[in-house]
Amino acid sequence: MAGGEELKKLKKVNILITGPPRSGKSTLIEKLIEELIQRGFNVGGIFTPEVREKSRRIGFKIIDLATGKWEWMAHVSISSHYRVSKYGVDLTAIENIGAKAILYAIDNTDLIIIDEIGKMELFSETFQEVVRKAFNSNKPVIGTIGLKLHHPFANEVKRRKDITIMFLTREKWEETYNQIKDMIFQ
């Protein structure tokens, strides 16, 4: 290409990363996002980091990767009919930030990130619909899913023939990261 530009091509893959808590799933997603952006790719979707206060986890944000907009997806102080452990879950945040970010990514980015498909997110049928739409799109999708997540939608996703499930451990973190890169870059 003119000007020595790198050929910008990604393979259409659907990859879900799973593993035990603290195995590095979110860290792997963060590093992958950084590398994709450095290579000139436009990344969209969601990231759901935990938030700690004085070493105590108080909740989870849901962040639109394309805009940086975020809301509390779950927090110890949220009063909600939807609960996971000590956290009240804000369905509106999941739909207004999460679902909209994934829909935007389907139409406007090179790759879709879905961190994560978990108990909190799956309270929303809208979220489930847009995740299904992302996997059915022509864009590569990289996501995380809870190891012991038992939910009809999670089971459906795990059974899809077009999804590769990568099991992550701390010991195999670098190896798994490199395997995923090899799978997405042409």
Side-chain angles (χ1 to χ4, degrees), residues 11-95:
K11 295 177 193 168
K12 167 53 183 169
V13 292
N14 291 324
I15 300 171
L16 285 176
I17 305 159
T18 193
R22 305 268 175 239
S23 58
K25 296 181 292 292
S26 293
T27 303
L28 190 147
I29 291 288
E30 281 183 292
K31 186 172 178 187
L32 190 58
I33 291 167
E34 286 175 22
E35 183 158 347
L36 285 158
I37 290 169
Q38 285 176 351
R39 290 186 183 213
F41 293 101
N42 188 2
V43 178
I46 60 166
F47 191 62
T48 57
E50 69 176 30
V51 178
R52 292 182 170 269
E53 202 171 78
K54 297 180 184 170
S55 76
R56 181 179 149 257
R57 186 165 61 195
I58 59 165
F60 297 86
K61 292 179 178 181
I62 187 162
I63 302 169
D64 179 332
L65 291 169
T67 66
K69 185 176 176 187
W70 70 272
E71 290 184 25
W72 287 106
M73 176 175 71
H75 196 277
V76 293
S77 67
I78 291 176
S79 177
S80 172
H81 293 294
Y82 302 100
R83 299 200 65 80
V84 173
S85 183
K86 63 185 176 186
Y87 308 103
V89 179
D90 185 346
L91 220 56
T92 304
I94 292 168
E95 294 176 356

Side-chain angles (χ1 to χ4, degrees), residues 12 26 64 72 76 91 100 105 109-110 116-117 130 138 156 160 162 170 180:
K12 167 53 183 169
S26 293
D64 179 332
W72 287 106
V76 293
L91 220 56
K100 287 180 180 178
T109 67
D110 299 316
E116 107 177 68
I117 300 170
V130 299
N138 64 350
E156 170 196 325
R160 286 179 62 129
D162 63 343
R170 284 183 173 266
I180 291 169

